[in-house]
Amino acid sequence: MAAQSSPSRRRFLLGGLGLGVAGVGALVLGWGVLPPRQRLHGSSPLPLQDGAVPLNGWLAIGTDGTVTLAMPRSEMGQGVHTALPMLVAEELDVPLASVKLIQAPNDKIFGNVAMLKDSLPFHPDDQGRVKALAQWTVAKAARELGVIVTGGSSSVKDGWGPMREAGASARAMLLQAAAAQWQLPAAQCRTENGAVVHPDGRRASYASLAQRAAAIDPGTPVLKLPKDFKLIGQPAPRRDTPSKVNGSARFGIDARPPGMLYAALHLPPRLGDTLSAFDAAPILAMPGVKKVLDLTPQLAQRSVSCAAVVADTWWRARQAAAALPTQWKAGPQANLSSAGVYAEFARLLDTEAGYAYHASGEVESKAVQGLRSVKAEYRAPFLAHAAMEPVNCTAQVKNGKVMLWVSTQAPGIAVDVAAKVAGVDAQDVSIEVLLLGGGFGRRLEVDMVAQAVAIALQCDGAPVQLVWTREQDTKHDMYRPAALARFAARLDEHGRIASWDNKSVSGSITHQYLQRNFGLPGAGPDKTTAEGEFDMPYEIANQRIAHVIADSAVPVGYWRSVGHSHNAFFKESFIDELAHAAGQDGIAFRRAMLTQHPRHLAVLDAAVARAGSAPPGHAHGVALHQSFGSIVAQVAQVSVENGEIRVQRVVCAIDCGIAVNPNIIAQQMESAVLFGLSAALGGEITFQEGKVEQGNFHDYPVLRMGQTPEVETIIIASAEHPEGVGEPGTPPIAPAVANAVFSLTGKRLRSLPLRLA
């Protein structure tokens, strides 16, 4: 698709959003009083073929009755290329199989509004006017930004309105077209299976009506009521499964434009090192090698300093890049160590009050000062993304135009960075978004795009495919931040929590992301640092949850479930500690603090009931957590075998609002549990003398088949707006396992990954 972005306007609006709630008043002034931008009709035509007739900015009807749907979200295994077409097919009354997908153009109507709206740091229980105003304003700003991005478990949540409206609007147009053709009231007609029908037997296919319908104003779309759903709520099979089974699916690494060359990188040995010299002569003499390039001058802040080798095969490029003689200038992180990071975290917790994301009552009131105190400190390490498909991008720069083939979660940002590196307008950049072999937040970054374009600029118009090695991916990731958290609570004479004081410290992902990708300075609070701590549902009268942002020398980025991934471990483990200190069962302890939260209580009860009792030699651990709008409870069945923690079974209950496709929800819960369990049992990135100590799956392990537990998913029936699914299953698994280990062994594990030795 060709780009139609406005980077300067985007930076301005993002800068305003970066001010958080304090910036809401400024954003409201001027444009804020105008109606929000509509999301039904695009500013440019859809890229259609074979005479298909567009009925709005999202969909068109083909001559064979096929529905062409513009797809603005990336498929990375989470099932959006099935779930989102279901929304349109439901409202349009067509079979799901008749909907084919094309890549959405870079138009503002396809921007992800829900993801930015959810970035505001409000407590879920807050129903005040300030929150409502802030959400309205940020949602309006998000429509103006029009950033096409896949993340934050927001795809279905964001598409629930506009994609259903697109289907309902088109259906109304077709219905009126048939009524006009038959000279009958539209109210006498109905739609079914891709056609308009009348009780007297008349029937007109959508294909036959499309041209007439295109000229009709449908008015305000009328959406179906949930009681009338025929497709939404049904476990439809994944549409992308057949192509992935037969090998025809195309991922980023499968791009093969004619005349393509291959590139590999030579990356710095330590964080922050700068390439000062290299000897290209022996490398250029190697078979198949075309070029040896220093990319540092072109990339500025968009990538680490590096060199690249271009060859006729990737293996030759890789071998040559590895053999390149280089000299490096040490950077400021040359002495960085994991021990030093945690020491600095401890110092900051000792000296800084932090930003209070939530406070109620008085945690140091006279009424609680004399009560029993319980304190604990928890920590979590840096984590790599470790997606199965290696980092890659294919780029061509020719005749002032740039073409990208890439598996990305952020195509609009990829286009912007490609334009900057190539020195062209964004309108001169086209992009084909291919399937992602795992994203997990790593493909929200566009460093690989900048590198590929910088290489292609020097390859005389030939397309070039850049592929990182697994070791490069592990050692040069944008990592899940390390974190340290301290808790202090007081229990009253009945064993209830009288006060809760929690302060944590970590680097800020949002600050770094805005600087890397938009050139904006990081400032103010960052919800991702404290999410999962400040927004807990437990009814505790006196609480204060604060966070201290540490300037991180380590590059940090969004990782599946972001701050929830470690903050849930901290919070749910400490809840279990308090239950034990109070001499109470962890489940009953939680239930007593959820009297005003019936949805949370129902999820917890469902998981516990399904789990039953642990068999002899095993123990159950429980965790309850809300993230991305969804409530998840997990019960982990754990044993210890030869000193190793083994998880045999996980029962996972979720309330995610209306379940669009229960089959995909169950798959996502299984995936999220296994992803989180890999991190809980083995995930850890450590630094010594500025170097990452891990390199591949032998020292950065993921679960093997023999370690994979049985995962049972319970989906709680709900009529609420759909919420996130891709990430909420990850946060509860680590504390559930840790709590089971304590029940089994009496050892309280307060650091990730969980190790008994």
Side-chain angles (χ1 to χ4, degrees), residues 480 509 528 531 557-567 628 727:
R480 197 281 305 271
I509 298 170
T528 69
E531 61 187 4
Y558 298 102
W559 190 92
R560 190 174 189 176
S561 73
V562 203
H564 292 283
S565 65
H566 50 273
N567 290 332
F628 305 95
E727 295 166 277

Side-chain angles (χ1 to χ4, degrees), residues 710-726:
E710 175 189 3
V711 180
E712 302 174 42
T713 300
I714 305 165
I715 301 171
I716 305 297
S718 175
E720 300 293 330
H721 189 289
E723 297 288 351
V725 170

Side-chain angles (χ1 to χ4, degrees), residues 605-612 649 651 712-714:
D605 288 347
V608 170
R610 176 72 64 85
R649 180 186 179 214
V651 175
E712 302 174 42
T713 300
I714 305 165

Side-chain angles (χ1 to χ4, degrees), residues 531-621:
E531 61 187 4
E533 291 179 322
F534 82 89
D535 45 7
M536 64 178 178
Y538 298 121
E539 297 148 10
I540 302 169
N542 303 296
Q543 53 179 294
R544 181 181 187 273
I545 297 95
H547 184 272
V548 180
I549 291 178
D551 292 332
S552 177
V554 176
V556 293
Y558 298 102
W559 190 92
R560 190 174 189 176
S561 73
V562 203
H564 292 283
S565 65
H566 50 273
N567 290 332
F569 168 68
F570 301 158
K571 179 259 296 179
E572 283 298 291
S573 294
F574 190 59
I575 285 287
D576 223 59
E577 285 206 53
L578 293 176
H580 178 73
Q584 298 181 29
D585 171 73
I587 299 166
F589 191 72
R590 288 173 172 83
R591 293 189 88 258
M593 295 187 291
L594 296 171
T595 59
Q596 304 302 312
H597 292 80
R599 293 179 69 186
H600 295 76
L601 195 57
V603 171
L604 176 63
D605 288 347
V608 170
R610 176 72 64 85
S613 301
H618 298 69
H620 280 170

Side-chain angles (χ1 to χ4, degrees), residues 327-694:
Q327 296 177 26
W328 297 87
K329 179 182 177 181
Q333 297 90 7
N335 296 316
L336 179 76
S337 69
S338 293
V341 169
Y342 287 116
E344 175 62 7
F345 282 177
R347 185 192 70 80
L348 289 170
L349 287 180
D350 288 339
T351 59
E352 301 291 333
Y355 177 83
Y357 282 83
H358 181 69
S360 62
E362 297 182 31
V363 296
E364 294 296 336
S365 68
K366 291 182 179 180
V368 302
Q369 284 180 0
L371 300 177
R372 180 183 176 187
S373 176
V374 181
K375 296 183 179 181
E377 181 175 283
Y378 289 82
R379 79 178 196 180
F382 295 103
L383 290 177
H385 295 84
M388 288 291 101
E389 182 188 8
V391 170
N392 68 87
C393 177
T394 304
Q396 183 178 30
V397 182
K398 187 176 182 180
N399 300 327
K401 305 288 186 181
V402 180
M403 179 66 201
L404 301 174
W405 297 263
V406 63
S407 47
T408 179
Q409 295 174 245
I413 299 173
V415 164
D416 286 349
V417 74
K420 291 184 178 74
V421 173
V424 302
D425 292 335
Q427 287 78 7
D428 293 322
V429 181
S430 297
I431 184 170
E432 182 178 350
V433 179
L434 297 143
L435 295 173
L436 285 62
F440 315 130
R442 178 61 180 96
R443 288 181 164 90
L444 285 168
E445 303 290 345
V446 293
D447 50 330
M448 73 293 289
V449 176
Q451 293 159 355
V453 173
I455 296 167
L457 267 171
Q458 303 178 65
C459 288
D460 306 315
V464 182
Q465 184 174 93
L466 170 67
V467 180
W468 290 29
T469 66
R470 174 62 57 190
E471 287 77 12
Q472 288 172 336
D473 191 16
T474 305
K475 292 181 178 294
H476 295 277
D477 203 348
M478 279 71 168
Y479 303 97
R480 197 281 305 271
L484 189 67
R486 289 176 181 168
F487 293 83
R490 288 187 172 92
L491 298 172
D492 66 17
E493 62 274 18
H494 303 291
R496 296 176 300 215
I497 300 175
S499 70
W500 173 283
D501 194 358
N502 168 210
K503 184 167 62 172
S504 58
V505 58
S506 69
S508 167
I509 298 170
T510 302
H511 288 185
Q512 284 201 12
Y513 191 86
L514 288 174
Q515 177 62 49
R516 273 196 303 268
N517 296 294
F518 297 99
L520 292 169
D526 174 3
K527 176 194 174 185
T528 69
T529 60
E531 61 187 4
E533 291 179 322
F534 82 89
D535 45 7
M536 64 178 178
Y538 298 121
E539 297 148 10
I540 302 169
N542 303 296
Q543 53 179 294
R544 181 181 187 273
I545 297 95
H547 184 272
V548 180
I549 291 178
D551 292 332
S552 177
V554 176
V556 293
Y558 298 102
W559 190 92
R560 190 174 189 176
S561 73
V562 203
H564 292 283
S565 65
H566 50 273
N567 290 332
F569 168 68
F570 301 158
K571 179 259 296 179
E572 283 298 291
S573 294
F574 190 59
I575 285 287
D576 223 59
E577 285 206 53
L578 293 176
H580 178 73
Q584 298 181 29
D585 171 73
I587 299 166
F589 191 72
R590 288 173 172 83
R591 293 189 88 258
M593 295 187 291
L594 296 171
T595 59
Q596 304 302 312
H597 292 80
R599 293 179 69 186
H600 295 76
L601 195 57
V603 171
L604 176 63
D605 288 347
V608 170
R610 176 72 64 85
S613 301
H618 298 69
H620 280 170
V622 176
L624 173 70
H625 194 74
Q626 180 173 351
S627 62
F628 305 95
S630 292
I631 306 160
V632 176
Q634 290 175 2
V635 180
Q637 179 182 314
V638 175
S639 65
V640 175
E641 302 173 14
N642 300 319
E644 291 190 5
I645 300 168
R646 298 299 301 268
V647 183
Q648 284 80 19
R649 180 186 179 214
V650 177
V651 175
C652 176
I654 179 171
D655 181 342
C656 57
I658 293 174
V660 173
N661 188 327
N663 179 50
I664 290 176
I665 294 171
Q667 290 174 354
Q668 282 297 283
M669 292 305 102
E670 293 163 6
S671 163
V673 165
L674 301 187
F675 188 84
L677 193 55
S678 288
L681 298 181
E684 184 178 29
I685 291 293
T686 58
F687 292 85
Q688 189 64 37
E689 297 181 348
K691 297 181 180 180
V692 174
E693 296 185 293
Q694 293 73 30

Side-chain angles (χ1 to χ4, degrees), residues 246-283:
N246 65 29
S248 63
R250 293 180 68 234
F251 294 83
I253 204 169
D254 296 321
R256 291 294 182 273
M260 188 177 78
L261 299 173
Y262 297 83
L265 297 179
H266 188 106
L267 293 170
R270 294 177 301 194
L271 277 181
D273 283 4
T274 303
L275 182 63
S276 57
F278 63 84
D279 184 3
I283 305 305

